[in-house]
Amino acid sequence: MKKLEGKWLVAVSTGPDSMYLVHQCLELGMDIQIAHVNYHHRKQAAEEEAFIRFFAEENQIPLHVRNDAFKPKGNFEAEAREWRYTFFAKIVRKEQLKGVLVAHQQEDLLETFLMQEEKRLEPDYFGLKERTMMQGISVVRPLLTMRKAEILRYLDEHQYRYFIDHTNLEDKYRRNQIRHSQVETMTDFMREALLQEINRRNSILQERRHRVAKYIQKGKVSLKLYRNLEKEDRLSTLRQLLDQKKHHTKVQLIELDQIVMRKESFYIPFEKWYFTSDGQFFFLWKEENYSYSDIQIKEYPFFKVEKGESGVNAVTVHASDYPLTIRNYRKGDTIQLRFGKKKVSRFFIDRKIPLYLRKVWPIVLNKKAEVILVPGLGSDVNHYSINPTFNVIQYLNTKE
C-alpha cells in the first residue's frame, strides 16, 4: 500500500481487512480519522464498538461512531451500504477530508464480478474500481491487490486484534455463497485468469464508452444516429445515457434498444424517471407537476407569460376570473370552444405533441377551475377578444 497525501477518513468495522488497512495507514504515517458504524444487529457489535473506541484513543486518532438504531425496510445489505456512506460523506465534508478509504480486497473484487455475471449486469465497471465517487465524496480502495490470506498472516504475525463477523461464514446472503463455493476454491491459476478477464473486459468497456460518449449531446441521443450503430455500441450508448441510474441488466438494455429501434415516440416509466422520445432524440425525462397562482409577466420552468397579442396563446381575463391558476395538464381536462367542448388530449393527438411534453403542458384556469386557455389551441369561447390580457407560451422543449 502506498502512502496517500492529505487527511483521510478510514472506514473501520474491526474486521481483519479494515484493521489491516488502519494499521497500514499508521505505519505509513498518514493523517487519518476513523469512522465506525454499529448497526446493533449482532451480539458482538457492542464489544466491537468498545474496542475501536479504545484503539482510537490509544493511537490518538479522531473517531466518529454512528450507533443510532438502524431499521432496514428491505434489502439489508443495500440499505446498510447507503446508511454508512451517508455517514462517511457527512464526516468528510464537515472535517474537510480528502475522502474515505475502504478495505475491499481481492476476494471482494472477484465476488463482485461473479455476482455481476450471475445477474447479467451491464455495469459501469467490472469488479471494483480502486477510485470512485459515492454521495459526492472520493472513495478509495487501496487493498484490491491484496489477498485475504496475506492480510490475516500480517495481523497474526504482529498480534493485532481483529473481530470475525460470523454472519460472513453463513450462506444467508448470495455474496457469501459465491465466496465459499467459488472464490475460496479457486486455484492460483484460476484466480489469475479471472483477474485478467476482468481487466480485459474493463479495457473494452473503457474504449467503447470513450467512443460512444460523443453520441450523447446534452443528455440526448439522435434516433437516426443511434439506429446506424452496431448493437454493442447501441447498448453501450444506452448504458452511458443511464449512467446515473445504478446498474442495469443486459436484458433491460436490450428491451430498451428494441423500443428505440422500432418506435418514433415512447414514454416509459424508468425508476423515478421516464425514458422518452420527441421523434428526433431520446433521453431521460423527470416528470414534474406544477401549479402557479401568482401570475406575472415572466419566464417559468415550462412556459412563459407575455403581454397580450392575438393568437392561439392569448386569453382575455375578466375580474370575475381571479384568482387564476396555471398548472400542468391533467387527464380529463376539457375546454369549451365555439364549436363545442374539446378534450385537451385530443388536441395533443391532433398536433402530434410528444408524450413527454403533454405531461407539462400549461393549462390556465379561472377561480371556478374552468379551463380558459390551452396554449397552442386557444382560449375558451368566453375569454377571446382582439385585446387579450396576456399570452402563455409553451416551451417546445426543456429549457437548456
Side-chain angles (χ1 to χ4, degrees):
M1 175 177 163
K2 295 181 180 179
K3 181 178 180 179
L4 297 176
E5 300 299 327
K7 298 180 180 181
W8 290 88
L9 182 67
V10 183
V12 181
S13 66
T14 70
D17 302 339
S18 62
M19 290 309 301
Y20 174 86
L21 176 59
V22 75
H23 279 294
Q24 286 293 299
C25 290
L26 290 175
E27 286 188 17
L28 291 168
M30 290 175 56
D31 190 348
I32 62 171
Q33 299 185 23
I34 291 176
H36 176 76
V37 178
N38 183 349
Y39 300 103
H40 299 282
H41 277 254
R42 292 181 292 106
K43 291 181 179 179
Q44 67 186 36
E47 184 182 357
E48 292 170 354
E49 181 182 329
F51 166 71
I52 199 60
R53 288 186 182 278
F54 172 78
F55 178 88
E57 183 177 357
E58 184 179 47
N59 289 278
Q60 298 182 325
I61 305 172
L63 174 67
H64 310 270
V65 175
R66 182 169 195 177
N67 60 6
D68 47 321
F70 173 63
K71 299 177 181 179
K73 297 178 181 178
N75 185 310
F76 178 89
E77 287 187 306
E79 292 183 36
R81 186 184 308 112
E82 182 73 16
W83 180 263
R84 63 178 173 268
Y85 277 99
T86 297
F87 179 53
F88 298 159
K90 183 178 179 180
I91 299 167
V92 168
R93 293 189 181 98
K94 181 179 179 181
E95 300 293 327
Q96 297 183 325
L97 307 178
K98 296 273 287 187
V100 59
L101 306 182
V102 293
H104 293 127
Q105 30 78 6
Q106 195 176 92
E107 277 85 343
D108 295 313
L109 184 155
L110 295 172
E111 291 161 16
T112 299
F113 174 73
L114 291 172
M115 290 183 71
Q116 290 169 339
E117 288 293 278
E118 183 178 271
K119 295 178 181 179
R120 298 190 66 193
L121 292 177
E122 286 289 302
D124 176 58
Y125 191 85
F126 289 105
L128 293 169
K129 272 186 175 181
E130 182 179 355
R131 290 176 177 267
T132 189
M133 296 292 293
M134 293 183 69
Q135 298 201 15
I137 65 168
S138 178
V139 177
V140 178
R141 303 179 175 103
L143 306 183
L144 291 181
T145 60
M146 294 289 299
R147 292 190 179 194
K148 187 79 166 187
E150 296 176 276
I151 290 171
L152 291 173
R153 184 166 54 250
Y154 170 88
L155 292 171
D156 292 340
E157 285 177 355
H158 289 79
Q159 297 185 336
Y160 289 144
R161 188 180 180 189
Y162 57 87
F163 288 77
I164 297 296
D165 180 353
H166 293 285
T167 61
N168 289 331
L169 306 178
E170 303 168 356
D171 281 342
K172 179 180 179 181
Y173 300 110
R174 183 57 184 155
R175 179 178 286 274
N176 291 359
Q177 295 170 12
I178 289 174
R179 180 185 308 131
H180 301 150
S181 66
Q182 298 184 56
V183 177
E184 291 178 353
T185 61
M186 284 182 184
T187 64
D188 288 350
F189 177 80
M190 292 169 61
R191 179 188 288 255
E192 185 59 31
L194 188 56
L195 289 171
Q196 288 181 12
E197 175 63 12
I198 294 170
N199 289 335
R200 186 188 72 83
R201 297 268 200 101
N202 280 323
S203 294
I204 294 172
L205 188 64
Q206 183 178 9
E207 185 277 330
R208 181 172 286 126
R209 284 175 61 85
H210 178 74
R211 178 157 40 84
V212 304
K214 62 179 177 291
Y215 303 145
I216 304 173
Q217 300 293 326
K218 296 183 178 180
K220 296 184 177 183
V221 180
S222 163
L223 284 167
K224 182 178 179 180
L225 182 152
Y226 180 87
R227 289 167 178 168
N228 286 319
L229 299 177
E230 297 292 332
K231 183 176 180 180
E232 288 304 316
D233 280 0
R234 296 202 308 268
L235 296 182
S236 183
T237 302
L238 277 176
R239 179 66 189 85
Q240 199 154 334
L241 179 67
L242 309 176
D243 196 34
Q244 66 271 45
K245 309 292 172 290
K246 306 179 183 178
H247 294 314
H248 303 288
T249 66
K250 193 161 188 175
V251 171
Q252 289 174 317
L253 294 180
I254 289 173
E255 288 176 351
L256 291 177
D257 175 66
Q258 290 173 344
I259 291 169
V260 177
M261 294 299 287
R262 294 196 316 264
K263 296 184 177 182
E264 299 297 323
S265 181
F266 46 84
Y267 193 75
I268 305 166
F270 191 83
E271 297 177 4
K272 296 180 180 179
W273 296 66
Y274 286 84
F275 185 68
T276 189
S277 163
D278 62 6
Q280 291 183 308
F281 298 88
F282 65 88
F283 45 91
L284 285 176
W285 170 263
K286 194 164 187 178
E287 190 172 296
E288 294 185 42
N289 292 317
Y290 62 84
S291 180
Y292 300 98
S293 55
D294 181 21
I295 313 303
Q296 301 178 37
I297 304 296
K298 68 174 188 178
E299 294 189 356
Y300 293 82
F302 297 100
F303 62 92
K304 59 183 176 180
V305 178
E306 297 181 341
K307 292 181 179 179
E309 292 183 7
S310 296
V312 292
N313 298 310
V315 63
T316 302
V317 180
H318 312 298
S320 58
D321 290 317
Y322 291 96
L324 300 175
T325 299
I326 302 182
R327 60 158 172 79
N328 58 296
Y329 163 76
R330 295 176 187 172
K331 186 177 180 180
D333 281 343
T334 60
I335 185 169
Q336 185 66 48
L337 302 175
R338 286 177 294 172
F339 47 82
K341 187 169 286 190
K342 182 168 184 173
K343 291 183 177 180
V344 177
S345 59
R346 188 69 250 173
F347 159 68
F348 292 150
I349 294 169
D350 293 343
R351 297 294 180 88
K352 297 182 179 180
I353 303 298
L355 294 173
Y356 79 101
L357 277 182
R358 300 178 190 184
K359 304 291 184 177
V360 293
W361 203 271
I363 304 294
V364 183
L365 302 95
N366 62 14
K367 73 175 182 181
K368 295 179 181 179
E370 297 168 333
V371 176
I372 62 174
L373 174 66
V374 178
L377 174 61
S379 63
D380 76 342
V381 67
N382 297 315
H383 294 83
Y384 171 80
S385 77
I386 60 173
N387 294 306
T389 309
F390 58 80
N391 289 33
V392 177
I393 313 296
Q394 158 68 26
Y395 297 127
L396 296 180
N397 209 325
T398 55
K399 291 193 68 181
E400 300 296 347

